[in-house]
């Protein structure tokens, strides 16, 4: 390949975005990362494995084991543990949480990273539209089930991987599962807006709730446009991403803001915020609507059959 010109190099640097500079160690601490067998989830797990214990929570156990053994070999950390979690099935989420709580006495970081994008119309095991079910409701339930353990382990952090796509989203309470009309691009946007609203309302409810006065935070982030398997359902997107791959982040670059939100010391008491490139970013007006956030919270509890006050 030809060497990059100065203009191309500076363009590439711009695309790469911010980097997490924190060298914080997580000795004796436990982190869960959903969907950590590929893409930015795997890179986030690789980074955190250099710092402490990581639970790789994935649907595909074979892929997860391959990723975990690669990370163990590279980091020398044997505390990279694979657990089965299918976010499209509340039974699997409950089983994962039950096993985790029986085996681990502490949880310091929960990174809700897994996601689906541009799926043809389909429903989860519980009848939820797939984007909403996996990207929002699955993580909502997982967080609910692990919340007490996080509180007991404070200081603790919840990190929700959202997207710039939340700007195109709306919470359509009249057709939450897109049964009347479905557009897979918009369905993804709606679910990413739900991530932002969930983070906002969760942070509001968590304030002053941790034990021993330790900080307990929840933040959301946009990882950037990343070369990953997330677009596998769209031939057009795969074709476009091949052509414009120069303008996309690598999975390592895309993981930087997740890592930053999980470990950076300057975020110890920062909560309810939205980040991109390791710095605060603009949230759409719909993402700042507290009434919608509260309503989405109660509707989510209803759909999942839980009481979360």
């Amino acid at each position: 390949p030809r060497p990059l010109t100065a203009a191309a190099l500076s363009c590439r640097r711009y695309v790469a975005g911010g980097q997490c500079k924190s060298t914080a160690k997580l000795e004796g601490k436990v982190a869960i990362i959903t969907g950590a067998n590929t893409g930015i989830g795997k890179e986030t797990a690789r980074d955190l494995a250099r710092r402490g214990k990581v639970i790789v929570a994935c649907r595909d156990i074979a892929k997860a084991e391959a990723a975990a053994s690669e990370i163990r070999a590279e980091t020398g950390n044997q505390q990279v543990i694979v657990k089965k979690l299918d976010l499209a099935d509340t039974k699997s989420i409950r089983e994962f949480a039950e096993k985790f709580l029986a085996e681990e006495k502490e949880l310091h970081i929960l990174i809700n990273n897994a996601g689906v994008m541009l799926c043809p119309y389909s429903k989860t095991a519980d009848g939820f539209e797939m984007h909403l079910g996996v990207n929002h409701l699955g993580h909502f339930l997982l967080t609910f089930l692990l919340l007490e353990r996080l509180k007991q382990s404070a200081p603790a952090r919840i990190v929700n991987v959202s997207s710039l796509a939340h700007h195109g989203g709306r919470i359509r309470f009249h057709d939450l599962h897109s049964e009347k009309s479905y557009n897979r691009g918009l369905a993804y946007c709606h679910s990413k807006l739900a991530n932002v609203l969930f983070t906002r309302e969760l942070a509001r409810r968590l304030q002053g709730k941790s034990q021993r006065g330790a900080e307990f935070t929840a933040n959301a982030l946009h990882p950037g446009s990343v070369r990953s398997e997330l677009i596998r359902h769209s031939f057009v997107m795969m074709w476009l991403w091949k052509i414009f791959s120069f303008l996309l982040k690598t999975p390592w670059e895309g993981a930087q803001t997740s890592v930053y939100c999980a470990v950076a010391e300057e975020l110890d008491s920062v909560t309810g915020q939205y980040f991109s490139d390791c710095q605060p970013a603009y949230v759409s007006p719909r993402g700042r609507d507290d009434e919608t956030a509260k309503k989405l919270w109660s509707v989510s509890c209803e759909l999942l059959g839980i009481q979360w006050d």
Side-chain angles (χ1 to χ4, degrees), residues 146-217:
L146 298 175
L147 197 73
E148 281 311 309
R149 189 57 43 94
L150 281 156
K151 278 184 192 169
Q152 292 157 9
S153 311
R157 299 186 186 191
I158 297 165
V159 178
N160 294 323
V161 178
S162 179
S163 168
L164 185 68
H166 84 270
H167 286 270
R170 290 177 62 196
I171 305 300
R172 300 158 70 245
F173 291 109
H174 65 286
D175 188 22
L176 215 47
H177 301 294
S178 306
E179 286 160 330
K180 294 177 186 155
S181 69
Y182 181 69
N183 173 301
R184 52 192 182 168
L186 287 177
Y188 177 71
C189 295
H190 302 333
S191 72
K192 293 289 110 181
L193 173 60
N195 293 154
V196 171
L197 291 167
F198 168 45
T199 306
R200 189 176 180 88
E201 181 62 8
L202 178 60
R204 188 186 71 77
R205 287 164 175 260
L206 290 181
Q207 284 187 313
K209 288 285 171 68
S210 65
Q211 296 176 3
R212 306 186 305 276
E215 294 296 345
F216 187 18
T217 64

Side-chain angles (χ1 to χ4, degrees), residues 94-112:
R94 288 181 180 280
E95 280 170 4
F96 168 86
E98 206 175 297
K99 280 184 187 151
F100 175 83
L101 295 171
E103 290 164 13
E104 300 287 344
K105 294 300 157 239
E106 293 197 304
L107 175 60
H108 305 89
I109 298 166
L110 171 61
I111 303 181
N112 290 319

Side-chain angles (χ1 to χ4, degrees), residues 181-257:
S181 69
Y182 181 69
N183 173 301
R184 52 192 182 168
L186 287 177
Y188 177 71
C189 295
H190 302 333
S191 72
K192 293 289 110 181
L193 173 60
N195 293 154
V196 171
L197 291 167
F198 168 45
T199 306
R200 189 176 180 88
E201 181 62 8
L202 178 60
R204 188 186 71 77
R205 287 164 175 260
L206 290 181
Q207 284 187 313
K209 288 285 171 68
S210 65
Q211 296 176 3
R212 306 186 305 276
E215 294 296 345
F216 187 18
T217 64
N219 290 299
L221 67 102
H222 166 56
S225 298
V226 182
R227 286 200 290 275
S228 75
E229 292 178 18
L230 203 54
I231 48 137
R232 63 185 174 275
H233 294 292
S234 169
F235 172 76
V236 174
M237 285 288 278
M238 283 167 77
W239 180 72
L240 285 171
W241 283 32
K242 230 183 189 114
I243 294 172
F244 297 108
S245 65
F246 189 71
L247 298 174
L248 298 172
K249 289 186 178 188
T250 64
W252 182 85
E253 290 161 354
Q256 293 303 300
T257 308

